């Protein structure tokens, strides 16, 4: 199934596409933990579930196997593939594996540069990976985009030009980096549309449920924290249950505003946590 068609259909019907994301667990915690989470997440009926690939620079890679599991649960999988630590040969190997498992959709990424590991040189940018995969003709592609500007980009104009190039190289829909201030997303979306980027753009929302996660998101994703968000997180830093509930409530309020403003999709960084995804889905289900 082509995911870009899902967005087109939803738009015609005045609806919003809801998708989830899971990550392969580290080697120490078994693959069963994500399978258990997927059983629950699939019941919430998302339009698709994406599966990260070496997220945050981790080595664990069971992306194809987990994406196959998503498919077996009747949900369309979107497999991430990064090229920073892959050369042409290893990319081909991954693509063959995706194909053999019936995976049709790939989120083509450059990937995080891991300190101490020399990046491979066959594909320098996600757009290079897009062109390469597109030429094979087997997959539909998605790309990542950055409402707060990618940390390595000179400025917003350069970043948007690069994004346009990525779309021209074959990315048929986009998923945004997580953000906590909707105004930042709207400004980015306007700029992208002005630049002629007309593919669907899903807003990436991360319900923050613990203090360690907040720091990780700031350093890894460059997300800025609005004052109201920081105040809430500070107030409950020593009360895990209240912090979790406040994180969920904050995400819900962001999502309601995004839907009211006609966003194409909501991509929920569910972090393998069906409890959090369930609370959010329950709250917004009737609004999609
Ligand atoms: N592992 C995963 O599952 C996920 C990883 N990410 C992370 O997002 C970050 C970047 O990934 P992508 O967005 O796929 O990379 P990208 O290659 O599209 O962009 C990365 C940087 O390179 C610049 N750039 C892009 N194309 C260019 C070109 N043709 N010429 C010159 N500069 C260019 C961009 O402006 C940006 O600053 C990484 O840190 C990645 O790991 C994001 C989501 C999920
Ligand atoms: N730069 C960047 N890299 C990514 O991999 C990435 C983004 N941005 N933005 C969107 C999502 C968010 N992703 C993430 C974010 C954090 C973890 C993470 O913290 N993983 C922990 C386990 C967390 C937990 O168990 O709750 C780990 O230690 O791997 C994983 C994927 C993947 N994506």
């Amino acid at each position: 199934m082509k995911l870009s068609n899902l967005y087109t259909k939803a738009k015609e019907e005045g609806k919003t596409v809801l998708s989830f994301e899971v990550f392969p667990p580290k080697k120490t915690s078994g693959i069963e933990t994500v399978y258990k989470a997927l059983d629950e997440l699939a019941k919430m009926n998302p339009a698709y579930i994406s599966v990260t690939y070496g997220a945050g620079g981790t080595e664990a890679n069971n992306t194809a196997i987990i994406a196959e599991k998503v498919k077996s649960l009747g949900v369309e999988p979107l497999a991430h593939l990064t090229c920073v630590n892959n050369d042409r040969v290893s990319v081909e190997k991954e693509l063959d594996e995706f194909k053999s498992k019936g995976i049709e959709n790939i989120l083509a990424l450059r990937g995080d540069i891991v300190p101490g590991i020399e990046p491979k040189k066959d594909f320098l940018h996600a757009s290079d990976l897009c062109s390469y995969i597109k030429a094979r003709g087997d997959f539909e592609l998605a790309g990542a985009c950055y409402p707060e500007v990618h940390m390595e980009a000179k400025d917003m104009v350069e970043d948007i030009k690069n994004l346009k190039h990525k779309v021209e190289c074959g990315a048929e829909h986009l998923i945004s980096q997580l953000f906590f201030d909707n105004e930042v997303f709207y400004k980015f979306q306007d700029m992208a549309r002005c630049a002629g980027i007309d593919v669907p753009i899903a807003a990436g929302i991360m319900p923050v449920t613990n203090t360690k996660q907040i720091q990780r998101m700031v350093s890894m994703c460059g997300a800025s924290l609005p004052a109201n968000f920081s105040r809430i997180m500070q107030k409950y830093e020593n009360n895990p249950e209240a912090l979790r509930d406040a994180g969920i409530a904050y995400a819900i309020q962001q999502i309601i505003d995004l839907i009211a403003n006609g966003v194409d999709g909501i991509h929920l960084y569910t972090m393998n946590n069906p409890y959090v995804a369930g609370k959010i889905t329950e709250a917004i289900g009737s609004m999609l």
Side-chain angles (χ1 to χ4, degrees), residues 108-123:
L109 297 152
R110 197 274 316 267
D112 291 302
I113 295 172
V114 184
I117 301 182
E118 184 68 23
K120 293 272 196 300
K121 301 227 163 38
D122 283 355
F123 309 96

Side-chain angles (χ1 to χ4, degrees), residues 21 51-57 80-84 107-113 124-128 143-146 149-155 158-160 162-163 165-166 175 177 220 269:
E21 178 163 316
V51 184
T52 68
Y53 185 101
H80 296 208
L81 179 61
T82 63
C83 54
V84 65
L107 175 61
L109 297 152
R110 197 274 316 267
D112 291 302
I113 295 172
L124 295 182
H125 307 288
S127 50
D128 303 330
C145 62
Y146 299 86
V149 183
H150 189 265
M151 287 189 279
E152 293 162 41
K154 190 177 85 197
D155 54 33
E158 184 192 272
D159 210 24
I160 298 244
N162 290 334
L163 184 61
H165 179 62
K166 183 154 62 179
I175 300 177
Q177 179 61 289
M220 191 171 116
Y269 294 108

Side-chain angles (χ1 to χ4, degrees), residues 21 23 26 55-56 58 112 177 216-217 220-221 269 271:
E21 178 163 316
F23 58 86
K26 288 206 177 122
T58 54
D112 291 302
Q177 179 61 289
R216 214 186 280 138
M217 289 314 128
M220 191 171 116
C221 309
Y269 294 108
M271 306 308 287

Side-chain angles (χ1 to χ4, degrees), residues 95-153:
L95 295 175
D96 287 343
E97 194 177 356
F98 288 163
K99 193 165 184 203
S100 75
K101 292 188 158 50
I103 294 155
E104 298 169 33
N105 291 280
I106 295 178
L107 175 61
L109 297 152
R110 197 274 316 267
D112 291 302
I113 295 172
V114 184
I117 301 182
E118 184 68 23
K120 293 272 196 300
K121 301 227 163 38
D122 283 355
F123 309 96
L124 295 182
H125 307 288
S127 50
D128 303 330
L129 185 63
C130 284
S131 303
Y132 186 82
I133 300 175
K134 210 71 229 167
R136 264 182 66 131
D138 298 326
F139 302 96
E140 191 197 36
L141 300 177
C145 62
Y146 299 86
E148 295 192 70
V149 183
H150 189 265
M151 287 189 279
E152 293 162 41

Side-chain angles (χ1 to χ4, degrees), residues 97-277:
E97 194 177 356
F98 288 163
K99 193 165 184 203
S100 75
K101 292 188 158 50
I103 294 155
E104 298 169 33
N105 291 280
I106 295 178
L107 175 61
L109 297 152
R110 197 274 316 267
D112 291 302
I113 295 172
V114 184
I117 301 182
E118 184 68 23
K120 293 272 196 300
K121 301 227 163 38
D122 283 355
F123 309 96
L124 295 182
H125 307 288
S127 50
D128 303 330
L129 185 63
C130 284
S131 303
Y132 186 82
I133 300 175
K134 210 71 229 167
R136 264 182 66 131
D138 298 326
F139 302 96
E140 191 197 36
L141 300 177
C145 62
Y146 299 86
E148 295 192 70
V149 183
H150 189 265
M151 287 189 279
E152 293 162 41
K154 190 177 85 197
D155 54 33
M156 169 82 92
V157 173
E158 184 192 272
D159 210 24
I160 298 244
K161 277 186 186 160
N162 290 334
L163 184 61
K164 178 141 198 238
H165 179 62
K166 183 154 62 179
V167 169
E168 286 161 355
C169 290
E172 287 169 76
H173 60 105
L174 300 170
I175 300 177
S176 94
Q177 179 61 289
L178 56 97
F179 59 91
F180 300 102
D181 180 351
N182 288 358
E183 296 309 319
V184 170
F185 179 83
Y186 299 139
K187 191 172 151 223
F188 157 77
Q189 194 177 236
D190 285 348
M191 297 267 285
R193 297 306 183 214
C194 284
I197 296 168
D198 54 9
V199 295
I201 303 176
I205 296 295
M206 160 90 68
V208 171
T209 54
N210 66 66
T211 36
K212 240 176 73 194
Q213 235 182 11
I214 303 170
Q215 290 324 314
R216 214 186 280 138
M217 289 314 128
V218 171
S219 64
M220 191 171 116
C221 309
S224 59
L225 307 177
N228 66 337
F229 178 82
S230 297
R231 262 195 304 277
I232 299 167
M233 296 298 132
Q234 261 164 28
K235 179 159 172 76
Y236 300 117
E237 63 184 344
N238 297 316
N239 183 344
E241 196 181 311
L243 184 76
R244 180 198 65 197
D245 291 347
I248 292 170
Y250 191 91
I252 291 170
Q253 160 250 304
Q254 259 193 296
I255 294 168
I256 294 172
D257 181 68
L258 288 161
I259 294 172
N261 279 280
V263 74
D264 295 314
I266 301 288
H267 187 68
L268 205 56
Y269 294 108
T270 48
M271 306 308 287
N272 301 0
N273 187 330
Y275 174 83
V276 173

